[in-house]
Amino acid sequence: MGERTDVAAMEQALDMASQAEAIADRLSRVKDEVGRVILGQDGVIEQVTVTILSGGHVLLVGVPGLGKTKLVETLATVLGLDARRVQFTPDLMPADILGSEVLEEGADGRRGFRFIKGPVFCQLLMADEINRASPRTQSALLQSMQEGKVAVGGEIMPLPRPFHVLATQNPIEQEGTYPLPEAQLDRFLLEVEVRYPDEAAERQMLLATTGAQEARANPVLSGQELLAAQALVRRLPVPDDVVTAILRLVRGARPETAASQRLASSLSWGPGPRAAQALMLATRARALFSGRLAPSVEDVLALADPVLRHRMALTFSARADGVTIASLIDELKATIG
């Protein structure tokens, strides 16, 4: 009996390895196709793709004109997903996102309500400048982001699978905006900073985007293949040292169990267990995206910033002293590696 169990386990491991190699090859093509259109943002492409592979949502933070909208459009094409875009404004209502019921009269003269689905009924939703909408409208996304369904008119309606929200936020202009509540920030698996490209990448971008023809990405995956990849991510083994590193990072970023006295006095609140879950999934997805079958501590350190920075808050005295979240995360990472 024991030998049969060992053989079955070995066959299962070999099957998972072959699946991982096949998916890693497709993901390499995804990286190449997106990179043909989005230039100079390799780190952003990796982090956003890792988020989608993990089955989560991502918050893109950057000034206008860095290609955030183009990135979402390109990913939708390459991953074979049905995408919609919503420009968030202060007068946007929840029904503009979720949908609404309209009264119709049939051929027989009878009247009845028909539900018209909103843009949230898609596989990839771009929530552009999400902090411009009112808290009421922002909260309309919460149930869909967490549970993959919405409640309208007393009915629960499932959303298509896979379902991902890629939201953007302008860090400069804050007039007329509504900061996202902590509960909604925590729903975003990663907060990705989109920075200016370097000179070489910007030169390449200038030449590639102002000519007669622009590069276009080709489809590589389908929605069902993406779901299979997401299921495989959850099956990848995680070494004990990676689990330990995740716990040390997350617990060390909380005031009650801070890794140092400076951290304890600088933080008003820190990440909850969802941050550890996010790191666990994201490190697996990054390993698969890189063509590896198991994550390493290096993956944990690489993803610490985008996982933790929107789940931590400074005290008033720390802000007055010029302490930053980035410096505290760097201090935490130093205790790991």
Side-chain angles (χ1 to χ4, degrees):
M1 178 69 77
E3 290 181 4
R4 273 188 248 166
T5 304
D6 292 341
V7 170
M10 187 177 298
E11 289 176 349
Q12 187 176 5
L14 290 172
D15 179 58
M16 188 180 70
S18 62
Q19 289 181 40
E21 289 175 4
I23 290 178
D25 180 63
R26 302 292 292 279
L27 292 175
S28 177
R29 289 173 54 197
V30 167
K31 187 191 308 184
D32 293 340
E33 284 294 326
V34 177
R36 288 177 55 240
V37 179
I38 308 298
L39 305 172
Q41 300 288 359
D42 292 345
V44 173
I45 294 171
E46 177 186 276
Q47 291 179 14
V48 174
T49 310
V50 161
T51 303
I52 294 176
L53 279 174
S54 303
H57 313 287
V58 65
L59 181 63
L60 295 164
V61 179
V63 299
L66 296 183
K68 298 186 293 295
T69 303
K70 190 68 173 177
L71 171 62
V72 177
E73 292 174 355
T74 304
L75 277 171
T77 299
V78 174
L79 299 177
L81 302 178
D82 171 35
R84 304 283 176 84
R85 178 176 177 267
V86 177
Q87 181 67 49
F88 279 61
T89 56
D91 60 345
L92 197 72
M93 300 297 290
D96 296 325
I97 300 173
L98 304 181
S100 58
E101 291 183 322
V102 296
L103 184 63
E104 289 186 334
E105 184 174 335
D108 57 357
R110 294 184 180 180
R111 293 182 178 180
F113 286 98
R114 181 171 69 91
F115 178 69
I116 299 178
K117 294 180 178 180
V120 75
F121 287 87
C122 65
Q123 294 175 313
L124 191 65
L125 176 68
M126 181 176 185
D128 210 355
E129 294 191 299
I130 190 173
N131 57 327
R132 288 200 174 279
S134 66
R136 180 183 178 189
T137 304
Q138 290 174 4
S139 64
L141 275 178
L142 274 175
Q143 185 181 20
S144 59
M145 290 173 64
Q146 182 64 21
E147 302 175 16
K149 58 187 178 183
V150 296
V152 180
E155 291 188 26
I156 302 295
M157 301 185 186
L159 296 173
R161 295 187 65 232
F163 173 73
H164 302 279
V165 174
L166 274 64
T168 68
Q169 190 167 292
N170 181 352
I172 297 177
E173 190 178 358
Q174 297 300 322
E175 184 177 352
T177 62
Y178 302 85
L180 293 174
E182 288 77 11
Q184 187 158 15
L185 281 174
D186 199 29
R187 294 302 194 278
F188 289 103
L189 195 87
L190 267 64
E191 180 189 292
V192 178
E193 288 187 349
V194 186
R195 300 192 174 110
Y196 294 109
D198 59 32
E199 184 178 351
E202 194 161 2
R203 177 186 292 273
Q204 187 182 2
M205 187 186 308
L206 187 63
L207 296 172
T209 58
T210 58
Q213 292 184 338
E214 287 191 38
R216 295 185 179 276
N218 298 309
V220 175
L221 294 178
S222 65
Q224 289 302 314
E225 289 172 328
L226 179 58
L227 285 174
Q230 292 173 351
L232 180 62
V233 164
R234 290 179 171 269
R235 293 172 55 200
L236 291 182
V238 182
D240 287 341
D241 61 336
V242 173
V243 176
T244 301
I246 290 172
L247 288 173
R248 284 179 60 186
L249 266 179
V250 174
R251 295 183 62 81
R254 299 170 186 162
E256 298 82 2
T257 54
S260 68
Q261 183 56 43
R262 178 173 179 266
L263 282 161
S265 61
S266 299
L267 291 168
S268 60
W269 54 270
R274 191 179 280 124
Q277 294 169 340
L279 258 177
M280 179 75 89
L281 284 172
T283 53
R284 285 169 163 163
R286 187 174 188 266
L288 187 61
F289 188 68
S290 303
R292 291 177 281 116
L293 299 182
S296 65
V297 174
E298 180 187 346
D299 295 315
V300 177
L301 297 176
L303 293 165
D305 288 87
V307 169
L308 295 179
R309 61 175 157 241
H310 60 297
R311 294 181 167 99
M312 300 166 63
L314 297 170
T315 61
F316 177 79
S317 59
R319 291 197 301 271
D321 292 339
V323 177
T324 63
I325 292 293
S327 66
L328 296 183
I329 294 176
D330 286 342
E331 184 177 327
L332 272 169
K333 287 160 66 176
T335 65
I336 304 297

